[in-house]
């Protein structure tokens, strides 16, 4: 389905039953449709959204600001005919999910972030992730990563580098991640904008008092790209945040521990003190 908003046609698809939940994507909806478990769509109506300029949505990604994002997602919510809609953002898109809720708290009852850093400072994130991997990873995991990187050809593509980094991203250091990302629409301008102008100065603790919507911070114990340790001392500074660690996951706990992920998210959404 498509929704017309200022300067763009936004594409979204739906799956499942229950309360509606937006699933944000900058690489096309197909990979997230594949990776989010049926156990979750048995309990929620998942609404997969291509950000403007990404996947099958038109418009310019460089036009995307947090305010424009909020307007885009509100247009989809209205098109769906629902008064309130949860939002899930994976990796840096969790920052976008949080900022949508900040601007539209009456529309968003729950925010779910997965593998999201507490700030958009990529240089700082990289240094902390490297240090965590050096201190925490097993020698076997380090060896597999080293071997993978050594086998990369000169001028390796973004995809080749990504899959070589599997020991940083998955609990199973030898996991074949390629099938998960079939159908990805990778645009360098998306990464340049979202990891640059849009989120580079973002910090979840700035203006934290205005984050009135409950936030579920899902992290994999073996995520060496965005370590859960980044949130130590940070989650407590937010008005209503829950940090949940998945002990046999890396950066993708929704497909590495699907049963546990679906149960943890939906139990949290029904939990005491969480508005339904």
């Amino acid at each position: 389905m498509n929704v017309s908003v200022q300067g763009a046609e936004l594409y979204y698809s739906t799956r499942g039953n229950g309360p509606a939940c937006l699933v944000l994507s900058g690489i096309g909806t197909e990979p997230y449709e594949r990776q989010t478990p049926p156990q979750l769509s048995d309990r929620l109506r998942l609404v997969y959204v291509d950000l403007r300029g990404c996947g099958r949505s038109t418009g310019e990604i460089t036009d995307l600001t947090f305010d424009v994002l909020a307007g885009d997602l509100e247009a989809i919510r209205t098109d769906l005919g629902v008064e309130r809609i949860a939002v899930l953002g994976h990796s840096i898109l969790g920052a976008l999910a949080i900022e949508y809720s900040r601007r539209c708290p009456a529309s968003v009852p729950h925010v779910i972030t997965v593998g999201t850093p507490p700030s958009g400072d990529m240089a700082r994130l990289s240094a902390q992730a490297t240090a965590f991997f050096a201190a925490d990873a097993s020698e076997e995991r380090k060896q597999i990563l080293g071997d993978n990187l050594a086998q990369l050809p000169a001028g390796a593509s973004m995809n080749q580098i990504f899959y070589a980094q599997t020991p940083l991203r998955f609990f199973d250091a030898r996991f074949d991640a390629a099938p998960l990302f079939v159908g990805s629409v990778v645009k360098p301008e998306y990464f340049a904008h979202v990891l640059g102008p849009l989120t580079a100065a973002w910090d979840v603790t700035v203006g934290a008092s205005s984050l009135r919507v409950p936030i579920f911070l899902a992290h994999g114990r073996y995520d060496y790209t965005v370590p859960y340790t980044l949130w130590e001392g940070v989650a407590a500074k937010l008005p209503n945040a829950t940090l949940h660690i998945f002990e046999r996951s890396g950066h993708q706990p929704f497909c590495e521990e699907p049963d546990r992920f679906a149960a943890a998210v939906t139990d949290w959404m029904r939990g005491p003190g969480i508005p339904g």
Side-chain angles (χ1 to χ4, degrees), residues 160-186:
Q160 288 173 310
I161 295 170
F162 178 86
Y163 295 128
Q165 294 175 341
T166 290
L168 300 174
R169 299 177 178 277
F170 289 88
F171 171 74
D172 179 357
R174 300 184 186 277
F175 181 68
D176 179 9
L180 296 180
F181 294 93
V182 172
S184 295
V185 182
V186 179

Side-chain angles (χ1 to χ4, degrees), residues 74-130:
E74 282 291 271
I76 291 172
R77 179 188 62 78
T78 300
D79 194 63
L80 289 165
V82 297
E83 292 186 8
R84 307 179 81 199
I85 192 163
V87 57
L88 184 155
H90 176 229
S91 199
I92 195 60
L93 296 187
L96 279 63
I98 290 170
E99 291 304 316
Y100 172 43
S101 77
R102 190 197 302 272
R103 285 158 177 77
C104 302
S107 300
V108 183
H110 309 97
V111 174
I112 303 144
T113 71
V114 186
T116 298
S119 83
D121 185 339
M122 290 297 114
R124 181 183 175 196
L125 168 60
S126 178
Q128 291 177 310
T130 298

Side-chain angles (χ1 to χ4, degrees), residues 232-253:
E232 291 177 349
V234 176
K237 296 179 182 179
L238 306 183
N240 197 345
T242 299
L243 178 62
H244 189 103
I245 309 301
F246 292 87
E247 296 292 339
R248 295 178 64 85
S249 290
H251 198 54
Q252 320 270 138

Side-chain angles (χ1 to χ4, degrees), residues 111-160:
V111 174
I112 303 144
T113 71
V114 186
T116 298
S119 83
D121 185 339
M122 290 297 114
R124 181 183 175 196
L125 168 60
S126 178
Q128 291 177 310
T130 298
F132 180 65
F133 182 75
D136 185 81
S138 68
E139 291 306 313
E140 179 185 16
R141 186 177 291 270
K142 291 175 182 177
Q143 183 65 52
I144 295 170
L145 177 64
D147 292 345
N148 289 354
L149 296 177
Q151 292 168 15
L152 285 173
S157 68
M158 183 183 296
N159 279 350
Q160 288 173 310

